[in-house]
Every structure is written in structure tokens, then in C-alpha cells.
Amino acid sequence: EHSTDKDPWFIIIKNGEIYSHSVLSSGQVGDNTGIFNVEANGDDQTWVPIRGRGIASTDHSAISQLLSDIKQSGRYISFVVYDDSFSAFIIARDNAIAQGVDYGWVPKEQSDSVIFSQNGSAPPPQ
């Protein structure tokens, strides 16, 4: 791990699919709410991936485009990896390495939620 001044770009890997928390549009990074059910609780937001709306780990073109967007944004990837999708993570991670995109990751169990909060933090890049 190393410190960075880059912001994280969260990617949740669950159900064997790759779900990007963000999207790059006209050079601006925004929330990708169309592939998640987002539940607000005060300042906290729980993001639940919608099965079938993520990128398949076999869709190398879509993965490459996502990584290109992340690289263009100047961010690093913070992978959130569920225990059912480690093989999809390896594919995404290897593609990130090949494209020179920094990444960090944190494992999750199926019962764990992904909650974004003002008080949270992302793992630093490796």
C-alpha cells in the first residue's frame, strides 16, 4: 500500500459482476445510480447492486472501457469484493494492472452492506 492524493473510484464486485459506483460523462465523474438500489439513512447511503446490471467478468471490452474512464479521471480503484466473486475480481484487477491503474481492495461477506458515508474511508492503493 502507498499513500496518494487521488480520490477513489469504487467498484463493487458481487454476483460475479462488476458494478461501478461512478460514471464518467463529459469529463465529469458522477454517481452511477442506475445499476444500484440506493437507500438513504441520514448522511449514510447503502448501495446494493442490482443483479444483471453489472459488467460480466467475460466482457473484456466493457472492463477495458471502464478502466480507461477511471484512468482518465485521475482516480484509483477501490474494489469492494464479495466472497462469491473473487474470480471476477482477479480478472478486473489484472486488467487494472495491465492498464496502469492503481487499486486497493477490501473483502466483504455476502451479508455485509456497502455504506457510503462522510465518515468512511477507502483502502489505499497497492
Side-chain angles (χ1 to χ4, degrees), residues 31-96:
D31 290 343
N32 191 11
T33 56
I35 62 172
F36 294 93
N37 288 319
V38 181
E39 302 167 8
N41 183 10
D43 289 337
D44 297 345
Q45 292 183 333
T46 302
W47 287 60
V48 180
I50 300 172
R51 187 182 291 271
R53 294 203 184 162
I55 298 171
S57 62
T58 56
D59 190 344
H60 299 290
S61 175
I63 293 170
S64 180
Q65 181 59 54
L66 173 60
L67 293 169
S68 176
D69 288 349
I70 295 168
K71 190 170 188 173
Q72 181 182 344
S73 76
R75 295 180 179 217
Y76 77 95
I77 301 170
S78 181
F79 287 112
V80 178
V81 182
Y82 279 85
D83 55 7
D84 70 339
S85 300
F86 194 74
S87 60
F89 162 64
I90 296 299
I91 292 168
R93 181 207 62 190
D94 289 352
N95 277 277

